[in-house]
Amino acid sequence: MKYTITLSLVTAAAVCMGSVAFAEGPVAGETAEGSLAGKTLTFVSYGGIFQDGQLKSLEDFVAKSGVTLLSDGPTENAKIQAQVEAKNVMWDVVDTGDFTPFVHCGTLFQKLDFTKIDISKVPPGQVGECSVPAMNYAVMFLYNKDKFKDNPPKNWTDFFDVEKFPGTRGIPGYADPEGYMVELGLLADGVPKDQLFPADIDRGLNKWRSIRDNLVPWTTGAESQQMMESGEADMVMVWSGRGKAALANGANYAPVWQDWIVVKDQIAIPIGVKDPDAAHALINAYLGKHAQEVMAQETSYSPVNIEAQPKVDELTAEFMTNTPEKQAMAYNQNVEYWVANYETLSAKWAEFVAGN
């Protein structure tokens, strides 16, 4: 896929005036007039309405900076590695999965220069050495309102309590390991948040095994959504977008937000880009309030700027995660720990999803 936006050059006087905005450091979303005139950047993501929305969010940046913005994708680590090793990097800014820039920080992706990017409006715990978040969504659970009526579950402790809240639970059962599943199991088993690490993976997964008879695994987002629409499971652990879609289709379920798991794509810069300053400028623009509002309005993903107020319908607004109320209930899994212990987690997770 290729997508090009080309803007005319602006005058040198405008460049000088625009540069004043950065005299005391960058401000998220602000771009100096004509600062990238004559330059080209390639932005890479996963296609579809998500990438279309990201490109839409960058239109003001393109118009003000004078840059030519190309778009490519989908993101593939093998292609990034080939470009870096060949010292011919064509992808300037890349949207990746949650773990990727942590696994390859300093090898495939460069450490970001935060004197060139304003991260002051990004929620705490979401910025890494080599990446910033691209958007947010939640892993959370919803419960059947007909089943629990006046005594609904309120948190993950209730999710595990099959005596007080009898019934089935839909949970992820796909092959990719999820560290947050271990963390939730440990918390439910009484481990304090400040004592979770180093994590006892067996203990965390054993907590899930203790309620195995109540668990119904799903392997795709569509399956998790269908569990709610059909009423198959009384509580369903889902990606927030699937929860919203189920409610839009008439599922009589309600979301539980306490300790929702923060999930996010990452924005990173491959090592060896031809113009790191320009790549940093794009990221700084992407994190701006207006850009994040546009991204959210076009994609229904939550913005990562806490001041963003996207204009969306009431149901979509209910599932936006950037509000102070939602952020106060957020839970950030320990991504760096799970990256460092990925092989062990993968082996033990595989045993769990296989029914062992």
Side-chain angles (χ1 to χ4, degrees):
M1 176 181 65
K2 292 284 184 183
Y3 177 97
T4 309
I5 308 173
T6 307
L7 275 297
S8 60
L9 301 180
V10 296
T11 65
V15 174
C16 294
M17 292 174 62
S19 64
V20 175
F22 292 95
E24 297 181 359
V27 176
E30 291 193 6
T31 302
E33 287 282 354
S35 54
L36 300 179
K39 297 186 176 184
T40 299
L41 288 171
T42 299
F43 176 77
V44 179
S45 189
Y46 291 99
I49 62 170
F50 179 43
Q51 189 161 352
D52 289 344
Q54 290 177 301
L55 293 169
K56 187 81 172 175
S57 78
L58 291 167
E59 286 184 353
D60 282 358
F61 165 71
V62 171
K64 291 195 72 174
S65 69
V67 74
T68 296
L69 183 64
L70 306 179
S71 176
D72 202 359
T75 301
E76 292 181 21
N77 287 350
K79 289 185 178 180
I80 297 170
Q81 182 173 350
Q83 292 178 34
V84 171
E85 290 178 351
K87 293 182 169 39
N88 184 29
V89 177
M90 307 301 294
W91 290 355
D92 298 289
V93 179
V94 180
D95 184 300
T96 79
D98 220 349
F99 283 15
T100 306
F102 292 89
V103 174
H104 302 290
C105 187
T107 54
L108 295 184
F109 300 102
Q110 69 178 59
K111 294 183 178 180
L112 297 178
D113 183 348
F114 292 106
T115 67
K116 299 174 182 176
I117 302 173
D118 175 14
I119 58 172
S120 64
K121 306 303 180 184
V122 178
Q126 296 198 25
V127 175
E129 276 192 295
C130 288
S131 62
V132 299
M135 49 74 168
N136 274 185
Y137 62 96
V139 169
M140 59 198 302
F141 75 91
L142 289 84
Y143 65 86
N144 188 326
K145 293 163 69 174
D146 291 328
K147 170 80 174 185
F148 297 107
K149 298 181 180 177
D150 296 332
N151 182 37
K154 298 179 176 63
N155 50 46
W156 290 109
T157 299
D158 292 344
F159 191 90
F160 280 89
D161 192 340
V162 296
E163 293 184 5
K164 184 177 178 181
F165 300 95
T168 52
R169 277 83 163 142
I171 67 164
Y174 42 73
D176 292 337
E178 298 289 11
Y180 60 76
M181 292 292 285
V182 176
E183 294 183 43
L184 290 175
L186 290 171
L187 290 168
D189 204 38
V191 179
K193 282 186 178 181
D194 62 356
Q195 297 178 29
L196 285 176
F197 303 99
D200 186 335
I201 298 175
D202 288 325
R203 180 177 174 181
L205 293 179
N206 283 342
K207 184 62 177 179
W208 289 103
R209 290 185 176 100
S210 73
I211 60 168
R212 171 111 48 198
D213 290 346
N214 297 80
L215 301 180
V216 183
W218 52 264
T219 58
T220 68
E223 288 179 2
S224 70
Q225 181 178 333
Q226 183 58 32
M227 283 183 178
M228 290 176 284
E229 294 181 13
S230 67
E232 176 185 354
D234 300 307
M235 303 182 199
V236 187
M237 187 176 181
V238 295
W239 304 318
S240 53
R242 288 295 183 174
K244 188 203 82 169
L247 298 191
N249 289 341
N252 193 29
Y253 282 64
V256 173
W257 284 99
Q258 185 59 51
D259 287 324
W260 61 275
I261 311 297
V262 178
V263 189
K264 53 199 178 293
D265 273 19
Q266 304 282 334
I267 297 286
I269 301 173
I271 288 177
V273 296
K274 296 176 178 61
D275 194 336
D277 287 348
H280 278 81
L282 185 152
I283 293 175
N284 188 67
Y286 181 85
L287 294 178
K289 176 179 181 292
H290 176 69
Q292 284 296 294
E293 288 171 344
V294 173
M295 184 280 298
Q297 288 162 188
E298 295 291 325
T299 68
S300 293
Y301 284 113
S302 295
V304 295
N305 185 308
I306 60 174
E307 294 182 347
Q309 296 180 318
K311 296 178 181 177
V312 294
D313 62 77
E314 185 176 348
L315 180 59
T316 301
E318 183 183 353
F319 280 82
M320 288 287 165
T321 64
N322 70 315
T323 65
E325 295 79 13
K326 296 285 177 53
Q327 284 300 314
M329 294 185 283
Y331 180 86
N332 283 287
Q333 64 172 317
N334 192 335
V335 173
E336 291 180 328
Y337 182 86
W338 297 119
V339 166
N341 294 274
Y342 193 78
E343 289 187 11
T344 301
L345 174 64
S346 295
K348 293 182 181 296
W349 176 258
E351 292 176 359
F352 173 71
V353 297
N356 299 322

